[in-house]
Amino acid sequence: MDRKNKRFLLLIVSCSATGVILGGTSSWAKSSHCLQAANVTSECLTQEPLTNTIQGMSTGLIAGAGAAIGAAWQLRHED
């Protein structure tokens, strides 16, 4: 594996990991905020916080990988 491929892989992994962390944290905070609201809705009560967190993490993974690929694509075409 050459140097460019290693850097590209590192970019994708780091952006994806950041997306997983931010997506999971955001979804967990949203679930917590929903349950602590003054008027708790039935939608809030029927959703599982762990499921919401996992969905947020997967969305963050896809968004992070997409951002890394987009950034690498743009840098490649600027050269």
Side-chain angles (χ1 to χ4, degrees), residues 3-59:
R3 184 179 240 176
K4 281 188 176 185
N5 286 339
K6 286 182 182 178
R7 287 192 315 186
F8 180 63
L9 184 61
L10 181 63
L11 178 67
I12 289 178
V13 169
S14 62
C15 287
S16 297
T18 303
V20 166
I21 292 168
L22 290 176
T25 304
S26 173
S27 294
W28 184 263
K30 184 178 176 184
S31 295
S32 272
H33 182 70
C34 179
L35 291 173
Q36 294 174 357
N39 297 329
V40 179
T41 63
S42 61
E43 180 184 342
C44 179
L45 293 174
T46 57
Q47 293 177 344
E48 184 69 31
L50 185 61
T51 305
N52 284 342
T53 303
I54 292 171
Q55 287 175 348
M57 291 170 76
S58 62
T59 302

